[in-house]
Amino acid sequence: MQGTVRVALVAVVVVTLDYHCTAATDSKMPAPWGWRCEDGRCVKHAAAGGSDLVPLNQCKLTCGGAGVLWPLPTSASVGRRVSLFLPHNAALRPMCPAQVCPLLQEAFLVFHDALQRYHPDYTSGEAPWVGPWDAATEAHALVVAVTVEGAQAHLTLNTDESYSLSVNTSADGAVTTATIVAPTFFGARHALETLAQLVDYHETRDALMVVQTAAVTDAPAFAYRGLLVDTSRNFVTVAALRRTVDAMAASKLNTLHWHITDSHSFPLALHSLPNMAYYGAYSARQVYTPAQVRDLVQYARVRGVRVLPELDAPAHVGNGWQWAEEEGLGRLAVCVNQAPFLQYCLQPPCGQLNIANPATYRVLGQIYEELLDIFAPVEIFHFGGDEVNLNCWNSTQEINSWMTANGHGVDEEAYYRQWAVFQGKALQLLQKAAKGRKVEGVLWTSELTKPGRLNLSHNSSQYIIQIWSTQDDPVIGEMLAMGHRVVFSNRDAWYLDCGVGNFWCGAYKGWQKVYDNNPHSIAQQATGSTHADLILGGEVAMWMEFADDNNMDAKEGVRRRGPAGTKPRGTASFLPPPS
Ligand SMILES: *[C@@H]1O[C@H](CO)[C@@H](O)[C@H](O)[C@H]1NC(C)=O
Ligand SMILES: *[C@@H]1O[C@H](CO)[C@@H](O)[C@H](O)[C@H]1NC(C)=O
Ligand SMILES: *[C@@H]1O[C@H](CO)[C@@H](O)[C@H](O)[C@H]1NC(C)=O
């Protein structure tokens, strides 16, 4: 979420590059053309056009001042020369507090795996490097010297994700050293992503090349850089979720917002409440076990991504909650799968929690407890909290009578007040489950977050509000005026599910639209101030009514080398710190 697109066009300084295609030493057919960086762009020329022509990859890596670095760092300058090397000669020299060294070593394995994947014939685990290479290429070392200053092993909204990276090559050309210094593991990890973008495959030498010199300093513009996945409308495999995490890591996004459940299905297998998935999953194989969730949380952490669980309530529940009636707890959810749907919800199948049943709160508290355990440590939790249908509650005799018997009345505002009361109880249950740890709650904008409603029982510091209306909606000014911290997911730019036939949110949002959507400018338009203090960041949303494993990668823009789901192998080498 860099907000604006920054394009670097830098005057070209003509230098002699170290490596050219020459038929005598090339292992591959020499190409009849080559590329030259001209005015910050790579331009194709016939081979006869000059001895300074290089392969396309090499030109892109070194052209335009910042090569192919993306998202563009705060400041970057990339030299024009490259050195050839082989991936087994890349080694980590770590300097880190003991709490984060294992994370750093794992992140280096991921980096090392990314190097292997640059090979066009990569299939699984290792690329078929065949050469032949000259002695200099075979011996060239890439030393990655990483200093992590702090011991923080979990992302928070205050984590310093900055880093500096400098790349230098010894005068004799034998060793390229990438020096990374970062206040936290998370900054260091971003630096490894950046370093991976300073490397590419050299197509005529069957080797990797790394730029000989570079200087980068970088820090994210926003603390919260998210992507939502929805695993209720359609089930998504863990392998697909990992691919999304990989892509987020490469783009330095840091929050995987997991909309786990909805009225359609409840795919999360809970130890404490196995009936939820038993009744709620599409099939016995379409579930996430607690062990799989823990694995994914750790997989994401190594890649600089926090997993933010959402249990949407009190609407967007249904399948999964039906077991309780048979067990004598009464109905936990009402209007489940009720038709015609438009009278009871916005999208079939319907369902909403039964606010009149005390058992609803006991079960909700139990779910929160297990969620906080399997997603630990949870620093931010999403309550959902959108699209309550008042008629569903009001037309349910049990709830209508309860409202009257308790003197609440049954008019609109009475129901909104009880929704706010529900939300207050949900917050208390979450805090109880957190056992003294601080957990931030997030809510979608809704009727509940309208001025005067949410604050019937709460104040602005208790919730982060996720805005999903369009960028010209007055709700943006309202949320900021109330002092809420906000995350932008305005659907006119950041809903990736759009673009399916006559689906409600219009055309597919291409990358230009995504990059031009700047929360600070939207706030400026709405309120006259950029509200930098209240805007935590933004999130693109991959709702899955029309998506699953088969097409989510394309909609998210995930591009991957090598076969999906291959795990990095522990073959990278680690050097001792210099004495
Ligand atoms: C709820 O139902 C009652 C009739 O029982 C009706 O008078 C009232 O307007 C309804 N409230 C809402 C919010 O629809
Ligand atoms: C609730 O919100 C309204 C509208 O923003 C505001 O005028 C009022 O002061 C708030 N009340 C409390 C108790 O914060
Ligand atoms: C708002 O809520 C926070 C967190 O619960 C609390 O610390 C603070 O005192 C509350 N502020 C007011 C004005 O009630």
Side-chain angles (χ1 to χ4, degrees), residues 427 431 438 458-462:
L427 180 63
Q431 283 165 347
K438 183 172 155 54
H458 309 295
N459 71 48
S460 62
S461 67
Q462 285 177 312

Side-chain angles (χ1 to χ4, degrees), residues 27-309:
S27 61
K28 304 278 185 291
M29 283 278 286
W33 57 80
W35 296 78
R36 187 190 293 125
C37 181
E38 294 170 5
D39 289 334
R41 297 165 40 167
C42 291
V43 180
K44 190 176 182 180
H45 293 280
S51 63
D52 62 337
L53 296 176
V54 297
L56 178 58
N57 279 355
Q58 180 177 345
C59 183
K60 285 165 75 174
L61 198 59
T62 53
C63 191
V68 290
L69 297 184
W70 194 259
L72 196 59
T74 313
S75 106
S77 86
V78 175
R80 298 293 301 276
R81 291 163 177 261
V82 299
S83 289
L84 296 185
F85 74 106
L86 293 169
H88 65 260
N89 285 333
L92 173 71
R93 178 173 285 151
M95 300 272 281
C96 40
Q99 296 91 326
V100 295
C101 281
L103 281 173
L104 181 60
Q105 302 218 334
E106 234 186 300
F108 186 74
L109 291 180
V110 174
F111 167 79
H112 197 262
D113 185 59
L115 298 187
Q116 294 283 355
R117 286 170 190 273
Y118 277 125
H119 199 289
D121 301 328
Y122 176 96
T123 51
S124 65
E126 202 111 331
W129 306 95
V130 291
W133 313 283
D134 57 21
T137 299
E138 274 187 80
H140 192 89
L142 174 64
V143 176
V144 185
V146 183
T147 303
V148 176
E149 291 163 342
Q152 195 182 358
H154 304 290
L155 264 180
T156 73
L157 287 171
N158 300 315
T159 298
D160 185 338
E161 295 174 73
S162 68
Y163 65 89
S164 69
L165 162 67
S166 68
V167 178
N168 290 292
T169 299
S170 59
D172 63 2
V175 181
T176 298
T177 304
T179 306
I180 290 167
V181 180
T184 67
F185 158 72
F186 297 96
R189 192 219 69 82
H190 292 329
L192 290 173
E193 294 290 347
T194 302
L195 181 59
Q197 294 177 8
L198 295 171
V199 173
D200 206 344
Y201 180 73
H202 193 289
E203 60 199 60
T204 59
R205 297 299 188 105
D206 194 35
L208 290 174
M209 58 190 152
V210 58
V211 300
Q212 288 190 353
T213 56
V216 177
T217 57
D218 199 8
F222 294 98
Y224 183 114
R225 308 179 303 282
L227 184 150
L228 174 147
V229 290
D230 159 18
T231 56
S232 177
R233 272 56 180 258
N234 273 307
F235 182 80
V236 168
T237 62
V238 171
L241 293 176
R242 285 187 173 181
R243 290 200 301 273
T244 290
V245 169
D246 292 344
M248 292 176 68
S251 308
K252 304 186 175 83
L253 300 184
N254 69 356
T255 306
L256 178 69
H257 172 176
W258 188 355
H259 181 89
I260 314 166
T261 62
D262 209 295
S263 55
H264 312 62
S265 73
F266 195 111
L268 184 64
L270 297 168
H271 279 314
S272 58
L273 291 163
N275 273 334
M276 299 298 303
Y278 185 64
Y279 279 72
Y282 284 128
S283 78
R285 294 186 66 86
Q286 288 169 302
V287 295
Y288 307 103
T289 66
Q292 285 175 320
V293 173
R294 282 183 221 276
D295 266 10
L296 184 69
V297 168
Q298 178 63 17
Y299 183 91
R301 178 176 304 132
V302 168
R303 288 156 181 81
V305 177
R306 77 164 71 77
V307 183
L308 161 54

Side-chain angles (χ1 to χ4, degrees), residues 477-499:
E478 284 166 16
M479 294 301 113
L480 293 168
M482 281 190 264
H484 283 297
R485 289 165 302 154
V486 298
V487 169
F488 275 72
S489 291
N490 49 302
R491 61 178 182 263
D492 47 354
W494 282 351
Y495 266 35
L496 300 179
D497 51 324
C498 308

Side-chain angles (χ1 to χ4, degrees), residues 364-412:
L364 193 60
Q366 258 181 297
I367 297 177
Y368 287 166
E369 261 184 43
E370 189 161 343
L371 280 178
L372 293 200
D373 180 39
I374 61 184
F375 283 86
V378 175
E379 189 231 355
I380 318 178
F381 178 84
H382 208 300
F383 288 104
D386 59 323
E387 299 180 326
V388 165
N389 181 298
L390 299 189
N391 188 56
C392 161
W393 278 344
N394 196 37
S395 63
T396 301
Q397 187 57 44
E398 183 185 345
I399 295 178
N400 183 296
S401 308
W402 174 83
M403 291 289 283
T404 309
N406 286 283
H408 301 318
V410 291
D411 58 287
E412 260 191 26

